[in-house]
Amino acid sequence: MDVGQRDELVGAAESLERLAAVSTRGDWRVGGLLATRPEVVAHFEGGATEHVAEARAGSARWIAALSPALVEPLAAWLRAAAGQEEIDAAALSFARALRQRLPQ
């Protein structure tokens, strides 16, 4: 594998972890009283909750589905791809798209 591509994969994993580290933790779920303006709420162990965002009905489920809870498996996948001899084209494509959108 090209060293630059390996660095792209690892860099994307690190960027994802940095973003998750400063985001609200917990299990993000869609809730609230208005179907057209649902809220995304983080649920923590022990029953505590924290409001994460208000969203449109069409985007709330997307926001909740891609909560920081996914950082570990996504970062692990990128690192595993970086450790392979052959380039995983899907992982590299994902890493490149992610790096364009994440703060460095």
Side-chain angles (χ1 to χ4, degrees):
M1 173 184 288
D2 177 283
V3 173
Q5 292 170 331
R6 183 182 314 272
D7 290 344
E8 284 184 78
L9 291 165
V10 173
E14 290 171 352
S15 294
L16 192 59
E17 289 167 334
R18 280 192 302 274
L19 182 61
V22 297
S23 296
T24 302
R25 301 256 183 228
D27 175 17
W28 291 12
R29 299 182 208 161
V30 177
L33 300 175
L34 298 174
T36 57
R37 297 291 291 183
E39 295 177 343
V40 178
V41 179
H43 294 257
F44 303 100
E45 290 182 27
T49 60
E50 182 179 321
H51 178 267
V52 176
E54 289 184 7
R56 299 269 182 213
S59 60
R61 291 163 105 188
W62 176 261
I63 294 167
L66 295 177
S67 78
L70 291 179
V71 73
E72 287 181 34
L74 284 174
W77 173 53
L78 292 168
R79 284 199 173 87
Q84 298 299 312
E85 194 64 34
E86 285 256 349
I87 297 168
D88 179 338
L92 188 57
S93 177
F94 177 80
R96 286 176 175 167
L98 188 64
R99 303 251 356 236
Q100 289 177 353
R101 289 165 174 78
L102 290 176
Q104 299 301 313

